[in-house]
Amino acid sequence: MKKNYLLTPGPTPLPPQVCEALAKPIIHHRTPQFQAILKEAVEGLKYVFQTKSEVFILSSSGTGAMEAAVANLLTSGDSAIIIEGGKFGERWTELCQAYGIKSEVIKVAWGKVFNIDELKDRLKSGQTKAVFATLCETSTGVDFDIKAIAQAVKNSAAVLVVDAISGLGVVDLKTDEWGVDVVVSGSQKGLMLPPGLGFISVSSEKAWKLINQSRSPRYYFDLRLAKKAWEQTDTPFTTSVSLVVALNAALKMVKDEGLENVFKRCGKLAQGVRMAAKALGLKLFADEGCSSRAITAVNVPAGVDGEKLVKTMRDVYGITIAGGQAELKGKAFRIASMGYLHEFDIILALSCLEKVLHQMGYKFELGSGLKAAQEVFLIEN
Ligand SMILES: *Cc1c(COP(=O)(O)O)cnc(C)c1O
């Protein structure tokens, strides 16, 4: 017998409430019944996005919402700055290239703290139309200081666009208070749903102005259509009805727990993973000053085959964590602390990690990682 557990940075485990909602009979999307559901979903999203402005629901994965941001805000030849500190920062660069945007890439060493001064300097040219950043860089386990970035961008003509696909509902992002113009996210990470929904908030006049001016080709992801439809509590095309129904179940859970408490819970889980890794003599990939609440990347110790470690945990013991991406392939593993996860899920994953590390010949005191995590979880608040 094998039980399966998911501790990956998307998809994340589904709560029973979400599964139950997904099992409901389908209803038609152009009905008052569904309009009420859609309204509730958008209200709930506004709470999680921490904005009073529109949040649009797209039938796509998170990358669709990223593409919507680029296609709607910019036109070929426009200049944009991309803060790129990992695999997902690179996605902004690739998207901008696809749309012919003149991209200035600020390379941040993977796992290192971002120095805001470089952004401030680059913004001085006054040519930048948009700055693209990432709340949680899932590939490296780094959270970016979006508040500081927003502060810098606010004093320029540019809009700030944040990829909060893995960070939303895990890492604090005060969209309105900090002045973040556009935020994109997806359903399968902090929001505890299957993949399939993309979200995008537009919270400033500055951003709407760009959207109305853009001459980039767009059709399915045209936010002008989404805005117009929303005036009638509608979507321009058939939406993912069942996922939206399930979204309300997930958003209700977030609301019941309280966003601040969700942040705290995830932060504590990440802290447990970090302390366990250190106790096991392992090195964390990200610097302490920027380590993420949503995901922890741990370096694979010398002499251990990182890919085999992850594969054994998954295929032999049913515990799925993530390996390293791109340049971290085989060199790191990543344990998520987002969505429907609890301290004992982390304990379970750590116990499996210890077992497999031990089997692979890595020398450490069995139980020392678990003990360190337990000590973190014993602390109230
Ligand atoms: C998962 C992820 C994406 C990609 O989202 P998809 O839903 O796979 O399209 C983009 N950015 C970040 C930070 C992510 O974690």
Side-chain angles (χ1 to χ4, degrees), residues 61-63 66 88 91 134 136 138 163 165-166 188-189:
S61 78
T63 306
M66 292 174 79
F88 293 106
R91 190 158 298 177
T134 312
C136 164
T138 319
D163 167 358
I165 294 175
S166 62
Q188 79 276 26
K189 304 199 176 178

Side-chain angles (χ1 to χ4, degrees), residues 28-348:
H28 195 271
H29 56 297
R30 313 248 190 245
T31 55
Q33 195 188 355
F34 186 69
Q35 275 180 316
I37 290 167
L38 199 56
K39 223 171 169 164
E40 186 184 331
V42 172
E43 281 310 309
L45 285 171
K46 287 179 176 181
Y47 170 67
V48 182
F49 274 73
Q50 301 189 63
T51 184
K52 289 195 163 62
S53 304
E54 286 100 339
V55 183
F56 301 103
I57 301 174
L58 310 172
S59 297
S60 73
S61 78
T63 306
M66 292 174 79
E67 176 148 0
V70 175
N72 280 279
L73 291 165
L74 301 173
T75 305
S76 176
D78 283 348
S79 295
I81 292 175
I82 296 125
I83 302 168
E84 190 194 280
K87 182 93 189 111
F88 293 106
E90 287 172 2
R91 190 158 298 177
W92 278 133
T93 307
E94 287 162 11
L95 273 163
C96 283
Q97 275 161 1
Y99 281 85
I101 310 305
K102 277 192 230 150
S103 355
E104 269 189 65
V105 179
I106 301 181
K107 291 241 185 220
V108 185
W110 286 32
K112 301 291 174 201
V113 177
F114 169 59
N115 179 0
I116 194 81
D117 293 335
E118 194 172 348
L119 175 65
K120 286 181 182 164
D121 277 351
R122 300 260 190 148
L123 282 167
K124 281 182 189 150
S125 76
Q127 297 299 308
T128 312
K129 282 232 168 121
V131 174
F132 293 93
T134 312
L135 175 60
C136 164
E137 176 49 78
T138 319
S139 62
T140 59
V142 165
D143 287 345
F144 280 78
D145 185 352
I146 299 299
K147 188 181 179 182
I149 293 171
Q151 192 72 38
V153 177
K154 215 162 37 178
N155 298 320
S156 78
V159 291
L160 174 60
V161 186
V162 174
D163 167 358
I165 294 175
S166 62
L168 190 83
V170 188
V171 183
D172 197 10
L173 174 62
K174 296 195 194 306
T175 302
D176 284 354
E177 195 180 313
W178 298 347
V180 182
D181 302 273
V182 173
V183 175
V184 302
S185 195
S187 51
Q188 79 276 26
K189 304 199 176 178
L191 285 179
M192 311 178 282
L193 294 166
L197 292 182
F199 309 110
I200 182 165
S201 66
V202 183
S203 302
S204 70
E205 277 310 309
K206 206 153 88 169
W208 277 116
K209 211 170 148 200
L210 289 179
I211 292 168
N212 290 321
Q213 282 170 357
S214 164
R215 279 173 283 109
S216 287
R218 50 191 156 149
Y219 186 83
Y220 190 66
F221 289 133
D222 191 336
L223 292 179
R224 294 168 304 182
L225 297 180
K227 186 172 194 264
K228 194 143 192 290
W230 186 240
E231 285 163 14
Q232 316 296 325
T233 323
D234 206 349
T235 53
F237 311 103
T238 309
T239 193
S240 306
V241 173
S242 301
L243 286 177
V244 176
V245 170
L247 172 61
N248 283 344
L251 288 169
K252 185 178 183 307
M253 289 177 69
V254 174
K255 212 156 195 183
D256 287 349
E257 186 176 355
L259 201 50
E260 290 295 327
N261 293 325
V262 177
F263 297 155
K264 261 190 216 158
R265 171 169 52 82
C266 296
K268 201 165 172 182
L269 299 184
Q271 176 71 359
V273 174
R274 288 196 295 267
M275 290 302 127
K278 282 189 191 172
L280 292 171
L282 303 174
K283 283 218 158 55
L284 302 173
F285 180 74
D287 281 359
E288 209 154 323
C290 58
S291 55
S292 176
R293 290 177 167 256
I295 176 124
T296 306
V298 181
N299 292 339
V300 173
V304 172
D305 178 339
E307 286 185 70
K308 191 173 164 202
L309 168 73
V310 173
K311 201 170 174 307
T312 306
M313 285 180 69
R314 182 190 67 212
D315 296 346
V316 180
Y317 300 113
I319 311 249
T320 305
I321 61 168
Q325 286 174 291
E327 61 189 66
L328 291 185
K329 197 168 159 61
K331 294 185 189 150
F333 61 84
R334 295 171 300 145
I335 299 180
S337 45
M338 61 178 81
Y340 187 55
L341 289 176
H342 184 267
E343 62 186 59
F344 294 110
D345 296 313
I346 300 295
I347 291 290
L348 194 100

